[in-house]
Amino acid sequence: MTTSDLVEDAAGHPQLAKLEQNMARIEALTQRVMAAFAHKRHVPEALQGPSQELYMKAAMAYWNEAAANPAKLFEQQIAYWGKTLTHFAEAQAALAKGTLEAPEDHTPEDRRFSNPMWKTNPYFNMIKQQYLINSEALAKGVEEIEGISDLERKRLKYFGAQVVDMMCPTNFLPTNPDALERAIETEGQSLIDGLENLVRDLEAHDGELVVSLADGSAFKLGENIGTSKGEVVFRNHMFELIQYTPTTDQVRDIPIVLFPPWINKFYILDLKEKNSLVKWIVDQGYTLFIVSWVNPGPAMRDTSLNDYIEDGYRTAMREVKSICGTETINAVGYCIAGTTLSLTLSRMKQQGDTSVGSATFFTTLTDFSDQGEFSVFLTDDFVDGIEAEVNRTGVLESFYMARTFSYLRSRDLIYQPAIKSYMMGETPPAFDLLYWNGDGTNLPAKMAVEYLRGLCQKNKFADGGFELAGDVLKIDEVDVPLCAIACETDHIAAWHASYAGVQQMGSKDKTFILSESGHIAGIVNPPSKGKYGHYTNPDMSGSADAWKAGAVRNDGSWWPRWGAWLAERSGEMVPARTPGDSTHPVLCSAPGTYVAAAPLEGE
């Protein structure tokens, strides 16, 4: 029987007819899904998961332990069997009452299972409880494996958890009550909309499943996002330099040049007026410049960290000094841009260049001895794979970085958005932060390998010195007055590691601030929100935990505290500066052209 036959049979039942029509549309969309998968991009095996060596070593350790201590293996299995049989018996007993009630549920709260049916419906409750029992057994089994290193255990726990999260019953239509209820309510329209969302995402990413987190049509740079007034006053092959239009009659003499990470784009600091750090800095009476990095393509395969330092940082500093007529500037580096700012300051120290009067570091790592959650991706199996891929293509594509960041928070950045978009048929939200998160950039091949090998893996900057273009750059040569802001729940640049790096710097004038929240929300935290507080403690002589134990918690944003710190190092008030000068004509208005340009092509 064909779909048309079913529709004809359902002619007397409007709701059934509508459902069958939607089923026919599903068939057509399914063909588009299969066509998109047929053109799926090639992802090297080395970048799809850890090497088989990790699993083989874990398996050998497990069976060796089973042979040496079989009682432990039986204890684990019996505990698992016991919980499973108890759960089954309780479910059977509840059903035997004839009331179709679920058994008593003592499982912990989990927002994935917020629908009441997970507790009240015996079918869904049975599935949920068994899933959680299975998850617990797997986690405990990994935790108790002996004969492997701490890093290997950490990697097994991480990748094991990824498998467990992937198999969560909420990720499948037949075992997701929210999606099933929505499908019935909409006569199947939610499934149609979901498939259309799925097809759109697959076709937009060469058959690779990349979940859209935000409605891309809702934002346009310079119109409703990245709208602070300014002008591009300098451009080279590495960056555009944006000088923002003053909003006060007078400004501090010493200008600020802010270096954002080139893994993402600068407008995270200028999403919209009410949470724009750019606008806030300008409103405090500062001349602010921001570097907008070019998005590298294969033509930039040989661009190195040294190029970022010389053609990026030091060139920007030189042009800012020229425009403002000052001998010094105040520099700010965010994330990897803070790491590279510290390398730049080491070289400048060696060369006697005193252009930087103070440095501010946002969520910056300079000591990589504690790699945090990223340690699972920084072993040779992954880094070897990355090196091979960038040597082939010329760049580390934003696709790989975005996927890595997403899997560090897979429930929030993969599975929940996928459920809402593909099973519930919801349109991705018009959320500026998520829109920015999806607007990634590539990394040049040479620079990516230098960063991963020399800094992340070998920790050369903090341990012996990082060799770069004939220089040996060292962390203790960073001796300018500095202020470092770390974030308490940052999963990218763990605050303990950030503190350790600042502690080793040679500056006599150090301020360390710990903001509540994470890598983005802890930085983009305007005073008007009154949301996240911050910790301060002038004593950095002890460990990070000792610093936190002795710190004072302060309500509200750290921005005003930093502003007061910066004011003391920014000179007297002078008449406000309009963007550019006679030798730096305005090239275009902010946010510039590089922020929206496609990657540079070339061999």
Side-chain angles (χ1 to χ4, degrees), residues 22-166:
N22 281 338
M23 292 302 295
R25 291 179 64 192
I26 288 174
E27 289 180 14
L29 286 167
T30 300
Q31 294 303 311
R32 287 178 61 192
V33 169
M34 299 307 295
F37 275 130
H39 296 90
K40 187 176 182 295
R41 66 181 295 163
H42 169 71
V43 177
E45 184 177 349
L47 299 182
Q48 296 188 38
S51 69
Q52 293 301 309
E53 182 182 353
L54 175 67
Y55 298 123
M56 290 297 295
K57 191 167 185 177
M60 289 298 295
Y62 182 82
W63 289 113
N64 287 339
E65 187 177 353
N69 186 10
K72 182 177 180 180
L73 175 61
F74 283 118
E75 181 182 357
Q76 291 175 344
Q77 291 300 310
I78 290 171
Y80 170 68
W81 295 342
K83 288 183 179 180
T84 298
L85 289 172
T86 299
H87 166 52
F88 178 76
E90 289 175 346
Q92 286 289 86
L95 288 173
K97 296 178 181 177
T99 56
L100 291 179
E101 292 180 354
E104 192 171 355
D105 188 345
H106 298 290
T107 56
E109 292 297 320
D110 187 324
R111 60 192 179 93
R112 294 176 295 177
F113 304 111
S114 58
N115 189 306
M117 291 182 72
W118 288 112
K119 284 192 173 181
T120 60
N121 183 286
Y123 167 70
F124 289 113
N125 183 262
M126 172 81 176
I127 291 169
K128 180 195 79 167
Q129 289 211 47
Q130 189 59 49
Y131 167 74
L132 293 175
I133 290 170
N134 294 346
S135 303
E136 180 187 35
L138 179 61
K140 187 174 182 181
V142 170
E143 187 65 44
E144 294 182 356
I145 291 178
E146 296 182 3
I148 58 175
S149 69
D150 291 341
L151 177 58
E152 289 165 339
R153 188 184 312 281
K154 183 175 183 179
R155 299 189 81 207
L156 282 173
K157 288 171 68 174
Y158 171 81
F159 291 109
Q162 291 298 322
V163 173
V164 168
D165 285 346
M166 181 176 64

Side-chain angles (χ1 to χ4, degrees), residues 53-293:
E53 182 182 353
L54 175 67
Y55 298 123
M56 290 297 295
K57 191 167 185 177
M60 289 298 295
Y62 182 82
W63 289 113
N64 287 339
E65 187 177 353
N69 186 10
K72 182 177 180 180
L73 175 61
F74 283 118
E75 181 182 357
Q76 291 175 344
Q77 291 300 310
I78 290 171
Y80 170 68
W81 295 342
K83 288 183 179 180
T84 298
L85 289 172
T86 299
H87 166 52
F88 178 76
E90 289 175 346
Q92 286 289 86
L95 288 173
K97 296 178 181 177
T99 56
L100 291 179
E101 292 180 354
E104 192 171 355
D105 188 345
H106 298 290
T107 56
E109 292 297 320
D110 187 324
R111 60 192 179 93
R112 294 176 295 177
F113 304 111
S114 58
N115 189 306
M117 291 182 72
W118 288 112
K119 284 192 173 181
T120 60
N121 183 286
Y123 167 70
F124 289 113
N125 183 262
M126 172 81 176
I127 291 169
K128 180 195 79 167
Q129 289 211 47
Q130 189 59 49
Y131 167 74
L132 293 175
I133 290 170
N134 294 346
S135 303
E136 180 187 35
L138 179 61
K140 187 174 182 181
V142 170
E143 187 65 44
E144 294 182 356
I145 291 178
E146 296 182 3
I148 58 175
S149 69
D150 291 341
L151 177 58
E152 289 165 339
R153 188 184 312 281
K154 183 175 183 179
R155 299 189 81 207
L156 282 173
K157 288 171 68 174
Y158 171 81
F159 291 109
Q162 291 298 322
V163 173
V164 168
D165 285 346
M166 181 176 64
M167 298 307 296
C168 181
T170 54
N171 296 336
F172 303 92
L173 179 63
T175 52
N176 187 318
D178 293 299
L180 291 171
E181 288 176 333
R182 180 69 177 156
I184 292 172
E185 289 169 3
T186 62
E187 299 172 339
Q189 186 62 46
S190 61
L191 299 180
I192 296 291
D193 295 339
L195 263 178
E196 288 179 339
N197 291 341
L198 175 62
V199 169
R200 178 203 63 221
D201 285 347
L202 286 171
E203 293 177 341
H205 296 95
D206 301 320
E208 190 69 35
L209 184 55
V210 178
V211 186
S212 294
L213 299 179
D215 180 3
S217 66
F219 300 101
K220 190 167 183 181
L221 278 167
E223 293 186 8
N224 62 354
I225 192 171
T227 59
S228 289
K229 301 299 181 184
E231 310 291 343
V232 174
V233 295
F234 176 83
R235 178 187 295 130
N236 68 7
H237 64 290
M238 295 287 292
F239 69 92
E240 288 183 328
L241 184 65
I242 300 171
Q243 181 179 357
Y244 286 93
T245 304
T247 58
T248 57
D249 293 333
Q250 291 190 312
V251 294
R252 294 282 176 179
D253 183 37
I254 308 301
I256 299 171
V257 57
L258 196 158
F259 298 95
W262 51 93
I263 291 176
N264 289 103
K265 297 182 179 179
F266 79 90
Y267 64 89
I268 183 59
L269 301 172
D270 189 35
L271 290 176
K272 50 193 172 186
E273 187 172 315
K274 68 180 182 180
N275 64 358
S276 170
L277 180 60
V278 167
K279 176 172 170 46
W280 184 86
I281 290 173
V282 173
D283 286 348
Q284 306 313 300
Y286 291 98
T287 302
L288 175 65
F289 296 80
I290 278 187
V291 164
S292 175
W293 300 103

